[in-house]
Amino acid sequence: MTVRAASSVLVGRHRETAALRHALGRARAGEPTTVLVGGEAGVGKTRLLEEFAGWATDGAARVLVGQCLELGEAGLPFAPFAAALRAVLRADGPEVFAGYEAEFAPLLPELGRTSVALAAPRAAALSDAPRGYLFDLVAELFQRLADARPLVLIIEDLHWADRSTRDLIGFLVRAARPGRLLLVCTYRTDELQRGHPLRPFLAELDRARGVERVELGRLDRDGTAAILADLLGAEPLARAVDDVHDRTQGNPFFIEELAVAGDPIGCAALPETLRDLLLARVDRLPEPAQRVLRIAAAGGTRFAHDLLAEVAALPEAELEDALRAAVAAQLVVANPDGDYEFRHALVREAVHDELLPGEHARLHARFAAAIEAQPHLVAAGRAPAEIAHHWYAAHDHPRALVAARAAACAAADRYAYAEQRRLLERALELWELVPDAADLLGMDHLALLEQTLDAAVTAGDFSRAITLTRAGLAEVDADAAPLRAARLLDQRGRLMALLGKSDGSRELDEAYRLAAGGPPGVERVRLLADIATHLVKIDPKKAARVGAEAATDAEAFGENVSLLSTRIALLCHGERDLTGGLAELGQVAAAARASGDASTLVLAMVFESDMLCELGRYAESAQAAEAGATEARRVGISRSTGAYLLSNRAEALIALGRWDEAEAVCAEAARIDLSGVTGLHWLQLGAGLRLARAHPGADELVDRALTFLNRPYLWPNHRLPLHELAIEAALAADDKVEAVRAARVAVTDESLPQLPREGWPVLSAAARTAARVGDRELAAAVAALAADLPARHPAARAHAAQVGALLAVGDQALPAWRAAVDAWRADGQPYPLGRALLALAEVTAAAGERDETAAAVTEATEIGRRLGAAPLVEAATTLARRVGLRGAAGGGAGADLLTAREREVLRLVAEGHSNSRIAERLFISPKTASVHVSRIIAKLGVSNRVEAAALAHRLGLLTEAAAPG
C-alpha cells in the first residue's frame, strides 16, 4: 500500500478555524486583533495556519509569515520580522519603506546596499536609531500595508523568540495597535517549562485588549481516522484506527509518522527518527530522573505515585525530585487525583523500548508482585489484568498463565468480552510453555479452547472464532464427547453463515445428529435449542422439529428458559403475524429479563425494533433500537447481537427523515468494526444514504457493500437489499447498461417471492430502471413478480403502488402516481415521497396540470433540502426550469442552491483553474474537486465550466464567495 508522507486535509479544527476567521473579520473592521495559538509539538498549528492563510489570501488579505529560530535568547534578533519584511521587499521593492531604508537596515541588511539614489536625502544617518524609533517605523509600515488591504502577520514558534522579538510584538499589541492588522503567534505549550521567558510574556499579552488565545488539542478518534484515510487513499480498518489512535493519542504528526512507518497500519515499531525525537528531551533530564522514568515506563502510560514508590524503592525525597524534573520537562503530567501520566503514550513506548532485557523482566516482575500484594495500588477492578500483563512481560510463564486465566474471568464478570478473549488467547499461547498447565488451571486444553471460542463469539470476533472451532474439532473425540463435538459444530455452522462462507447446513446437520444421540440432560436441551435457532434461516421446517424436540426435553428437565432464543427465532421468520408477534415477543423479553438472560433480552429487542419498522411504526422502532443498543453496550455484546440494533435504529431514522442522526449511528457502527455480515446492514444503509445525498464518499461505501455479493453465501434478507443498492448506484451514475444488468440479476433471485419486505424495494428499483431505459422485457418480469408478492404493511403497499405507477402507460400514469404519492404519505417516509412527488410532477406537467405540478415540485424541493438530498433538489430545480415554473423550486439556480464549499470551487473555476489546481488550493483530492464541479454544473443547469462561470458572474455568486470573514 502506498502511503502519502503528509496529510493534505485539515481535520477537526472547525472551532479554531472559525476563531481565526472571526478575528480577521474584526481586524477588517479596524479593530487591532491578536490571536495566540498554542499547542504541543506536532498537533497541527502550522497546518491550521496554512489553511487559514490560503483562505485569507483568497479573501483579498495580505499574509506575511515569519519564523522564530531555535537559537535561544542569544539568537538572531527580530528574525521573524526580518523574514516577513524581506517578503515585503521582494514584492513591493524598497520604495515601500518610504525613504527609511537605512533605519530598516538592522532588520534587512540588504537595504544597506540599496542605491543612494533610491533613498530620500536625510539630515543625519539613522542606521543605529534607538529601538523605540525602529519599532515606530515597523508599526507605521504595517499600518500603510494594512491601509491598502487587511494584513495578517503570522509569527511561528514564539517559544524560540529572542527578547527583541518579544519586545516588538508587545509594542505592536499594547502600544502601536495598527488598524486592520491581525497578528497571529504560535507557540508550543510543551516547551513552556517553569522559568521559560515566554510564560510571563504571554500573561502580559493576555491582559491587553484584543488578544485571545486558541488552544489546539489532540484529535479524537474520528480525526485520527480522517487523517489515515487521506494518507492511505482509502478507509482504514477500524482496528488500525484504534491502534494508531491509542499510540499517538491524536497527535497529527505522530499519526503521519506511524502511518508511513508500517503496514499493516498501526503495527509498526517506532521509526528511528521519531524515537530519537521523543527521547531527546528524556536525555536532557538528570540521571536520577531518567532512572525513575524508566521504572515508570514499565508501569504503563498512567501510574500511581504509591505504586511507583513501592517498585522504585527510593527515598521519598529522591523520588519526588525525579518526578518534579520529569513534570517540569513536560514529559509527565500530574493528575488531580494524585496519579501521574506520560504526556505522550509514544514517549512511554520509546522509554520502555530502551530498557535492557534483564531490566525489563526485573521491573515488570516487581510491578506484578507489588500489585498482587496490594491490589489497591491500581484502579479498582484493574488488578487482575495488570498482574497478568506484568507476569507475561516478566517472562514468568507459570505465573503469567494462571494470572491470564484469572484476569479473563474478571473481564467476563465486567462484560469485557474482547478483553476476556485476548487474555484467554494468551493463556493458550502460554499452555505449551508450562508443563503442568492443566494442573495449574484445573481444566484440559479443549476446555480452555471452548472458553476462548465463547468469548470470541460474544465479542463479535467471528474470524478468530471460526479458527478456534477448527482447532477444537481437531482435538475433540466425537465418540467419547458427542455433545462437546456437536456444540463446536453448531457454532461453526453459524459462523460459516455469519462470515458468508456457506449456509452452515452441513455443520448444523452433523451437530444435530451428534446431539440427538447424546446423553439426555440440560446440556443437550440447550444445544438442541441453539441448533434450532441457527437452522431457522436455512430450513424453517427442520428448525421447528428440532425446537419441538428441545421443548419436550426442556419440560422434563425444567429448563424452559433455554428455549427463549428459539422461540424468538421461530416467531420472527417465515409467515409472520407482526402485531401478534410483538405481543409474544414482549412476553419472551419479560421472561429473559426476569431470568437475567441479557443476551436473549437483547435479541428480543433486535426483533422488536425490526417488527416495528416493518409495521411502519418508525419512531417506536428507533426508540426500541436505542434502548436495546444501550442494553447491549451494558453487557458487552455491541459487536455481536447488539450490532443489529445500531443498524435497525439507523434504518428507522432514515425512514423518519432524520438523516444526520442516521449518519451518526452508521459512523458509530463503523467505529465498532463489526465482523462478517453483522457489519453489512449499516454499510448498505450508509451507502444508500450517501447516494441520496451525492456524498463524495458514496462510491467507496457502495463498493464496500457490494463486495459482499461476491461471497459464497449470503442470507437472502441481506442479499436482496444489496441488489437494490446496485441498481440505485448504477442509476445515480446514469449507467443504464449496469442498471439493467443489476436489475435482471435482482429479479431472478429465487428468494425474492418469499421475502416481501426486502423484495418490494428491489422491484421498485427494477421498475424505475425499466421505465428509464424503456426495457419492456424487464418491465414484464417486474410486473409478474409484483402480481404475486404480498403487500401487507405500509411501506410494502407504497412500493406496490409505486411499481404500478412506474409500469403504467398512457392515461393510467396520472392516477397511478397520485395513488403512489398518497401511499407514501400514509407510510410517512419523506424521501420516497419526494421522489414520487417529482415523478407525479413530470406526469402532471405533461397533462397540463400546472398548479399540481408546481405544488409537487415545491414540496419535493422542500423535502430534498430538509434531508440534504442534493440530487432530489437538483432534479426538482431542473424540472421546474424545464417546464417554466418560476419560484416553484425555491428560485432556481442561485447562491442558496450552492454550499459554501461549492461557491469556493465555482470561484476557482471562473478563474480558469483545473480540477487539480482547485484541489491543491482547497486542500482536497482532485476526485473530490471533480465531484464538486459536476454538482455545480448540475445545480446551475448549465452544460460546462464556462457556462457555469458566466452564470455565476450574472448572479453575483463570485463576489459573495470572495469576501470571507
Side-chain angles (χ1 to χ4, degrees):
M1 180 183 294
T2 302
V3 182
R4 188 165 54 247
S7 175
S8 62
V9 296
L10 182 67
V11 173
R13 301 304 185 201
H14 302 296
R15 180 183 63 81
E16 295 85 353
T17 299
L20 289 169
R21 292 185 177 190
H22 290 151
L24 180 54
R26 295 195 299 275
R28 283 180 187 279
E31 179 184 343
T33 305
T34 300
V35 179
L36 305 174
V37 180
E40 66 188 19
V43 82
K45 300 180 294 297
T46 299
R47 181 70 187 82
L48 170 68
L49 291 183
E50 285 174 351
E51 178 85 1
F52 169 68
W55 179 86
T57 301
D58 290 343
R62 181 169 189 170
V63 178
L64 301 176
V65 180
Q67 178 89 36
C68 297
L69 304 179
E70 192 177 3
L71 299 175
E73 287 293 292
L76 185 64
F78 304 114
F81 287 98
L85 295 177
R86 190 165 288 114
V88 173
L89 176 61
R90 285 196 298 267
D92 299 354
E95 297 82 6
V96 74
F97 296 97
Y100 291 100
E101 291 86 356
E103 286 78 357
F104 280 96
L107 296 180
L108 296 178
E110 54 265 47
L111 285 176
R113 300 190 291 272
T114 302
S115 171
V116 175
L118 292 177
R122 308 297 301 164
L126 296 173
S127 58
D128 58 350
R131 280 201 326 163
Y133 185 40
L134 177 62
F135 286 8
D136 281 331
L137 292 176
V138 171
E140 290 171 7
L141 172 60
F142 287 153
Q143 185 64 71
R144 290 197 301 275
L145 296 175
D147 287 342
R149 53 179 171 149
L151 179 64
V152 178
L153 175 61
I154 297 174
I155 306 293
E156 291 211 70
D157 295 324
L158 198 57
H159 50 279
W160 288 332
D162 60 282
R163 173 66 182 272
S164 298
T165 295
R166 294 196 300 273
D167 288 346
L168 180 47
I169 290 172
F171 176 79
L172 292 173
V173 172
R174 294 194 298 268
R177 299 175 59 79
R180 288 164 57 88
L181 168 66
L182 171 61
L183 176 61
V184 182
C185 301
T186 72
Y187 62 95
R188 292 182 184 172
T189 53
D190 51 344
E191 292 281 351
L192 303 188
Q193 304 171 21
R194 184 164 297 166
H196 194 291
L198 188 60
R199 294 179 70 157
F201 179 68
L202 292 175
E204 291 175 14
L205 292 184
D206 282 337
R207 291 193 291 271
R209 186 164 57 89
V211 176
E212 67 172 301
R213 287 213 203 191
V214 172
E215 293 288 336
L216 261 67
R218 299 168 184 172
L219 299 177
D220 59 15
R221 185 195 177 281
D222 289 344
T224 299
I227 289 183
L228 288 175
D230 179 62
L231 293 171
L232 302 173
E235 288 291 328
L237 295 174
R239 293 187 184 182
V241 176
D242 291 337
D243 289 340
V244 172
H245 187 68
D246 288 345
R247 294 177 72 189
T248 64
Q249 296 178 303
N251 183 291
F253 173 71
F254 293 164
I255 295 168
E256 292 174 354
E257 289 293 305
L258 279 190
V260 173
D263 190 10
I265 298 302
C267 298
L270 285 179
E272 285 300 321
T273 53
L274 180 56
R275 184 186 303 278
D276 292 344
L277 180 66
L278 293 168
L279 291 175
R281 194 175 297 166
V282 177
D283 292 340
R284 293 198 290 269
L285 288 175
E287 177 53 36
Q290 290 188 45
R291 185 166 59 252
V292 167
L293 213 57
R294 288 195 296 272
I295 297 171
T301 302
R302 187 183 178 103
F303 52 94
H305 180 93
D306 291 344
L307 176 59
L308 182 63
E310 184 72 23
V311 174
L314 293 172
E316 188 67 19
E318 187 176 332
L319 178 63
E320 288 181 351
D321 287 344
L323 287 170
R324 187 174 291 108
V327 169
Q330 301 283 319
L331 291 165
V332 169
V333 177
N335 294 321
D337 57 6
D339 289 351
Y340 294 91
E341 185 174 0
F342 280 87
R343 179 176 286 275
H344 287 294
L346 286 182
V347 171
R348 188 213 71 84
E349 186 177 332
V351 173
H352 185 259
D353 288 350
E354 291 292 297
L355 294 175
L356 297 173
E359 183 182 25
H360 179 282
R362 186 172 63 256
L363 286 176
H364 280 287
R366 283 159 63 180
F367 271 105
I371 298 169
E372 278 186 336
Q374 303 180 69
H376 65 274
L377 293 177
V378 296
R382 288 300 305 165
E386 294 282 345
I387 293 166
H389 162 71
H390 286 298
W391 282 131
Y392 182 77
H395 308 301
D396 190 325
H397 299 144
R399 285 191 171 101
L401 174 67
V402 174
R405 173 84 200 312
C409 293
D413 291 341
R414 303 195 318 273
Y415 306 116
Y417 297 111
E419 183 178 353
Q420 179 197 17
R421 196 270 302 168
R422 287 192 294 270
L423 287 161
L424 290 173
E425 292 270 14
R426 177 171 294 172
L428 286 172
E429 172 195 340
L430 291 166
W431 184 283
E432 302 300 331
L433 303 175
V434 180
D436 55 345
D439 293 335
L440 286 172
L441 295 185
M443 64 195 316
D444 61 20
H445 186 263
L446 180 58
L448 183 59
L449 257 175
E450 290 168 332
Q451 284 191 359
T452 310
L453 170 60
D454 289 342
V457 170
T458 308
D461 295 329
F462 300 142
S463 295
R464 182 56 183 158
I466 204 165
T467 301
L468 290 167
T469 62
R470 186 166 55 246
L473 287 168
E475 190 170 328
V476 70
D477 183 343
D479 294 330
L483 294 184
R484 291 182 88 173
R487 177 168 166 73
L488 289 166
L489 284 163
D490 170 54
Q491 289 175 301
R492 184 171 179 82
R494 175 172 176 259
L495 290 166
M496 294 290 281
L498 282 169
L499 293 172
K501 295 178 179 293
S502 77
D503 63 3
S505 58
R506 185 172 63 86
E507 289 81 4
L508 291 172
D509 287 345
E510 179 63 11
Y512 173 66
R513 187 189 70 80
L514 289 171
V522 171
E523 184 182 356
R524 181 174 178 272
V525 170
R526 293 174 179 172
L527 183 54
L528 288 172
D530 284 344
I531 293 171
T533 301
H534 301 152
L535 277 171
V536 164
K537 285 189 176 183
I538 305 167
D539 189 341
K541 292 181 179 178
K542 184 172 183 178
R545 291 197 305 272
V546 176
E549 186 177 343
T552 300
D553 286 359
E555 287 290 338
F557 293 100
E559 188 60 23
N560 287 321
V561 70
S562 297
L563 298 176
L564 293 178
S565 61
T566 308
R567 286 176 61 190
I568 293 172
L570 292 172
L571 179 67
C572 299
H573 291 87
E575 292 293 325
R576 302 186 291 174
D577 170 17
L578 294 185
T579 304
L582 273 175
E584 188 173 347
L585 198 60
Q587 296 172 8
V588 174
R593 187 178 282 108
S595 65
D597 187 349
S599 61
T600 300
L601 173 61
V602 170
L603 184 65
M605 298 173 95
V606 169
F607 285 107
E608 178 191 10
S609 61
D610 189 60
M611 285 182 170
L612 288 167
C613 192
E614 188 170 358
L615 285 168
R617 294 159 61 177
Y618 302 120
E620 293 175 74
S621 174
Q623 291 170 357
E626 185 176 18
T630 300
E631 178 67 14
R633 280 192 294 272
R634 185 185 72 81
V635 297
I637 55 175
S638 294
R639 292 190 73 241
S640 50
T641 309
Y644 296 106
L645 288 158
L646 289 176
S647 53
N648 283 359
R649 181 166 183 245
E651 184 175 18
L653 291 171
I654 290 170
L656 289 166
R658 291 156 58 180
W659 283 13
D660 290 341
E661 293 177 67
E663 281 200 344
V665 174
C666 288
E668 182 182 350
R671 286 192 293 272
I672 293 175
D673 189 24
L674 301 170
S675 180
V677 298
T678 54
L680 176 55
H681 191 202
W682 83 260
L683 194 59
Q684 168 246 320
L685 292 170
L689 200 54
R690 286 191 175 184
L691 275 179
R693 284 183 153 178
H695 188 285
D699 289 346
E700 181 184 354
L701 217 57
V702 168
D703 289 345
R704 284 175 58 192
L706 294 183
T707 55
F708 278 82
L709 287 173
N710 299 326
R711 299 197 178 196
Y713 177 78
L714 272 183
W715 283 316
N717 63 314
H718 285 128
R719 188 173 64 246
L720 288 173
L722 289 182
H723 288 317
E724 179 200 358
L725 178 63
I727 299 169
E728 293 289 359
L731 291 174
D734 200 27
D735 187 342
K736 296 182 178 65
V737 173
E738 175 58 23
V740 170
R741 187 206 66 78
R744 289 187 182 279
V745 170
V747 298
T748 57
D749 192 305
E750 61 184 13
S751 64
L752 192 153
Q754 284 76 49
L755 295 173
R757 180 182 181 183
E758 292 80 13
W760 276 116
V762 173
L763 291 184
S764 276
R768 186 175 290 109
T769 303
R772 183 176 296 189
V773 304
D775 190 322
R776 294 182 180 179
E777 184 181 343
L778 177 59
V782 171
L785 287 165
D788 296 328
L789 196 64
R792 302 186 184 94
H793 307 297
R797 288 193 289 268
H799 275 296
Q802 181 168 280
V803 168
L806 286 162
L807 299 180
V809 294
D811 294 340
Q812 298 175 346
L814 182 53
W817 274 114
R818 284 171 175 163
V821 167
D822 289 343
W824 281 119
R825 286 195 197 282
D827 176 62
Q829 296 189 56
Y831 182 62
L833 172 61
R835 299 177 82 179
L837 284 164
L838 203 55
L840 174 63
E842 292 262 8
V843 177
T844 54
E849 301 284 349
R850 289 186 61 81
D851 289 345
E852 189 174 359
T853 302
V857 168
T858 299
E859 187 177 358
T861 303
E862 290 172 352
I863 290 171
R865 284 182 173 155
R866 188 169 69 249
L867 298 177
L872 180 60
V873 175
E874 291 162 16
T877 304
T878 301
L879 177 60
R881 189 164 46 245
R882 197 174 77 228
V883 300
L885 295 174
R886 292 182 174 274
D896 60 334
L897 194 59
L898 300 181
T899 66
R901 175 60 97 184
E902 286 167 347
R903 290 197 293 274
E904 292 181 42
V905 172
L906 179 57
R907 184 172 56 77
L908 295 175
V909 167
E911 292 175 3
H913 294 297
S914 66
N915 288 348
S916 297
R917 180 60 178 154
I918 292 171
E920 183 181 332
R921 291 286 296 275
L922 298 181
F923 302 102
I924 58 179
S925 70
K927 181 179 178 181
T928 300
S930 174
V931 170
H932 280 310
V933 171
S934 298
R935 291 179 64 185
I936 289 167
I937 290 172
K939 285 185 176 184
L940 297 181
V942 296
S943 302
N944 53 47
R945 301 162 74 101
V946 176
E947 291 181 10
L951 180 59
H953 278 293
R954 290 201 305 274
L955 295 176
L957 301 185
L958 302 184
T959 302
E960 181 178 318

